[in-house]
Structures are given as C-alpha cells and as structure tokens.
C-alpha cells in the first residue's frame, strides 16, 4: 500500500514538474520579449529627446551667430565641410546642419536644415531654422 | 490501527509537500514576472510619449519661429516704409507709428504666429530709417506667450460641507 502510493505520487510530481517547466518557459519567453521591447522603446525615447535638445541647441547657436556656420561649429565643437556641419551630441546620434542662402533679393537670411540620425542612418528629428543677418536686438 | 494511522499521515504529508507545491511557486513567479514586465512596458511607453511631446513642441516652436523669421526677412528686403506697411498688412501684422521729439518717428510692427492651440510666438519690431536710405530693424520682443484662458479659481473639494 505504501509503495504504490509513493510511486504514483512521484510520477504525478514529475508530470507536474514537466508541465510547470513548459508553462514557465513560455511565460518567461513572453515576459522577456516585453522586457526587450521596453528596453528598445526606452532607448528610442532617449535618442529622440537627445536629438530634439541637440537640434534646439544647434538652432540657437546658428541664430546667435547670424548663420555663420564656421562660428556655429566653433561653439558646438563640430566639423564643417562644404557648408555642412556635423557632430555627435551622444554616441548614438549624429547631427547635421546644412546652411543654404535664401532666395530673397537682398540676402538677409540663411536657412539651416537640421537632421539628426541614429546609428542606422534613420532620421529621428529634422527641422528648419532661419538665421537673420543685419538685424539689431533691442533690449529696452 | 496505529500503524495505519501513521501510513495515512505520511501519505498526506507527501501529497502536500510534493504535488501542487511547485505549481504554487511557479504561479507566483510567473505573476511577479508578468507584473514587472507590464510595469516596465508602461514606464517605457510613458517615456516614449513624453519624448514625442517634447519633439513636437520643439518642432512647433521652430515652425512658428521660421515663419516669423521669414516675415522679418521680407521686411528687411523692403525698400521703403510704404512697402514695409504693405508687407505687414498682407501678413496680418499690426503697424503702429509713434513720434518722439528727440529721435523723430518710430514705427513698430507687432506680429504673432501660433505655435500650438495654447501658445503664440509674439514679436515686436522697431523700424527706424537708417543711413543711406537703409531701414534698420530692431527686435524689441520675441517671446512665446500663453494664449489660453487662465482660470484662477480652481478649487479641490477636499472636505464636504454640510
């Protein structure tokens, strides 16, 4: 009587254990997928925030020096080549500023096109800014 | 009789500690994993939404800034005050002339561009005739202003009054 009871319970326990391990593996796989998805989403949001702030910083520097791309590069510690400024605000993103003269007659403004790309060259932020030249700022 | 009772006790104790116990532990573990995974996902989603809102607000501001800069550049390209007035009227800006006994006539142009439904970019320009028939433009104001109605009487019903 005793032997039969213990053997049947050992068998039941083993079956239960196998089912539990299978169920746990499936659940853990789903949860791991959620963790990875959350991690990727956090990385993306971090990149977007950094990109937006870097673009804003660059735009204000560009406007402050009245569209002079060399001075903008000096302020930001960036490299300039063919009217194009580029630098890495963080390890994961690259910011590019392309300066274009306006098409108006007297040429008082310079348009700056800002693109921020991630490591896979995907644009995560872009905007345009106009730097005005020959204008005074009255602080009265 | 005593021997049978002992066997029964052993049988019951084996049943409780063996079969079912691991299931309970597993359910608890899976529940914990699921709760933490969902919490992490919710936090990540909130962060993503916040960064998207920041992204949009910066883009909206610079869209308005771009439009205002285009307006100022158009004024700079004008040859005379009449042309400036025409550009200002065309863009819906307010043109204001003020006279000063020492410095002569001052012209002010007020222009605002909507940033979003609650904010406007408000600019004020001072236009003075410069040397050699050039027109000098000074930026007096370039700020974003909150345009939505502000309600000062917001109260919380913390205590019920009889």
């Amino acid at each position: 009587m005793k032997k039969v009871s213990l053997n049947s319970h050992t068998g039941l326990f083993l079956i239960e254990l196998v089912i539990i391990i299978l169920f746990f593996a499936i659940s853990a796989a789903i949860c791991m997928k959620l963790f990875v998805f959350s991690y990727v989403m956090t990385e993306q949001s971090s990149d977007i925030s950094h990109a937006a702030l870097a673009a804003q910083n660059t735009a204000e520097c560009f406007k402050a020096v009245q569209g002079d791309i060399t001075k903008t590069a000096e302020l930001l510690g960036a490299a300039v080549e063919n009217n194009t400024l580029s630098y890495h605000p963080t390890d994961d993103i690259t910011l590019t500023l392309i300066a274009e003269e306006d098409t108006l007659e007297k040429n008082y403004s310079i348009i700056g096109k800002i693109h921020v790309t991630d490591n896979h060259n995907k644009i995560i932020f872009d905007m345009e800014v106009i730097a005005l030249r020959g204008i005074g700022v009255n602080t009265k | 009789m005593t021997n049978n009772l002992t066997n029964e006790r052993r049988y019951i104790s084996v049943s409780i500690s063996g079969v079912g116990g691991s299931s309970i532990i597993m359910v608890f573990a899976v529940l914990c994993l699921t709760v933490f995974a969902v919490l992490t996902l919710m936090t990540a989603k909130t962060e993503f939404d916040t960064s998207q809102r920041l992204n949009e607000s910066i883009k909206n501001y610079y869209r308005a800034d771009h439009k205002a800069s285009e307006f100022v550049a158009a004024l700079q390209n004008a040859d005379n005050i009449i042309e400036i007035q025409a550009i200002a009227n065309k863009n819906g800006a307010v043109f204001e002339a003020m006279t000063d006994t020492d410095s002569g006539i001052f012209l002010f142009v007020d222009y605002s561009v909507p940033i979003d439904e609650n904010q406007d970019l408000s600019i004020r320009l001072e236009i003075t005739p410069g040397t050699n028939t050039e027109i000098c433009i000074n930026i007096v104001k370039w700020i974003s202003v909150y345009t939505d109605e502000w309600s000062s009487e917001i109260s919380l019903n913390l205590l019920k009054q009889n």
Side-chain angles (χ1 to χ4, degrees):
Chain A
M1 179 67 183
K2 186 182 168 186
K3 272 187 180 175
V4 170
S5 168
L6 279 175
N7 280 343
S8 71
H9 277 288
T10 310
L12 268 176
F13 181 70
L14 276 173
I15 292 166
E16 189 196 13
L17 211 62
V18 169
I19 293 168
I20 283 168
I21 288 168
L22 273 174
F23 186 73
F24 184 78
I26 293 164
S27 306
I30 293 166
C31 288
M32 284 310 289
K33 204 174 175 183
L34 281 179
F35 279 124
V36 171
F37 185 69
S38 306
Y39 176 76
V40 172
M41 203 183 247
T42 308
E43 287 287 304
Q44 273 181 355
S45 47
S46 169
D47 281 353
I48 290 169
S49 298
H50 283 128
L53 292 173
Q56 191 179 20
N57 193 20
T58 308
E60 289 306 320
C61 287
F62 185 67
K63 284 177 75 172
V65 296
Q66 301 190 352
D68 189 330
I69 200 151
T70 316
K71 283 183 182 170
T72 313
E74 279 173 20
L75 284 171
L76 297 165
V80 183
E81 197 180 334
N82 298 330
N83 260 2
T84 305
L85 171 154
S86 72
Y87 74 108
H88 299 278
T90 65
D91 292 339
D92 301 325
I93 56 175
T94 307
L95 188 143
T96 313
L97 168 69
I98 303 163
E100 291 175 1
E101 298 282 332
D102 72 355
T103 52
L104 293 170
E105 190 188 342
K106 290 181 186 173
N107 204 9
Y108 276 120
S109 61
I110 295 183
I111 299 166
K113 290 182 177 174
I114 298 171
H115 303 284
V116 187
T117 54
D118 62 6
N119 281 339
H120 308 290
N121 277 334
K122 185 187 162 194
I123 293 174
I124 50 174
F125 190 88
D126 65 328
M127 70 176 197
E128 275 189 14
V129 62
I130 292 182
L132 296 166
R133 282 193 293 204
I135 200 150
V137 177
N138 195 341
T139 52
K140 277 190 285 185
Chain B
M1 180 68 180
T2 316
N3 196 23
N4 282 345
L5 195 68
T6 316
N7 285 342
E8 201 175 320
R9 274 186 190 160
R10 188 178 296 164
Y11 176 80
I12 290 164
S13 75
V14 165
S15 170
I16 290 169
S17 63
V19 182
S22 51
S23 296
I24 292 166
I25 293 167
M26 192 274 300
V27 166
F28 182 71
V30 169
L31 205 68
C32 286
L33 259 179
T34 313
V35 167
F36 282 121
V38 170
L39 280 175
T40 314
L41 190 67
M42 279 171 69
T43 311
K45 180 81 173 65
T46 312
E47 272 183 36
F48 189 75
D49 289 346
T50 310
S51 65
Q52 287 292 337
R53 274 201 296 275
L54 172 75
N55 190 338
E56 274 308 305
S57 66
I58 289 174
K59 274 189 178 179
N60 285 339
Y61 176 80
Y62 279 98
R63 212 171 283 137
D65 184 273
H66 191 281
K67 203 174 170 190
S69 299
E70 274 182 339
F71 173 69
V72 177
L75 292 184
Q76 279 181 303
N77 277 280
D79 292 322
N80 50 49
I81 299 294
I82 297 161
E83 206 175 321
I84 283 180
Q85 196 169 5
I87 293 165
N89 288 336
K90 191 184 164 190
N91 286 280
V94 179
F95 197 80
E96 186 188 351
M98 289 173 81
T99 50
D100 188 10
T101 48
D102 296 331
S103 314
I105 300 169
F106 281 95
L107 299 169
F108 289 98
V109 175
D110 288 299
Y111 181 62
S112 70
V113 188
I115 297 171
D116 54 37
E117 62 264 24
N118 297 327
Q119 287 185 97
D120 277 1
L121 177 67
S122 175
I123 65 168
R124 186 173 172 84
L125 307 169
E126 181 190 40
I127 297 159
T128 48
T131 53
N132 300 327
T133 68
E134 276 184 1
I135 293 162
C136 291
I137 298 178
N138 284 328
I139 298 169
V140 180
K141 184 176 80 174
W142 192 287
I143 53 166
S144 58
V145 286
Y146 189 71
T147 53
D148 203 18
E149 280 185 26
W150 183 72
S151 167
S152 62
E153 292 179 357
I154 297 170
S155 61
L156 293 172
N157 294 322
L158 297 175
L159 291 169
K160 278 187 182 176
Q161 289 180 345
N162 292 326

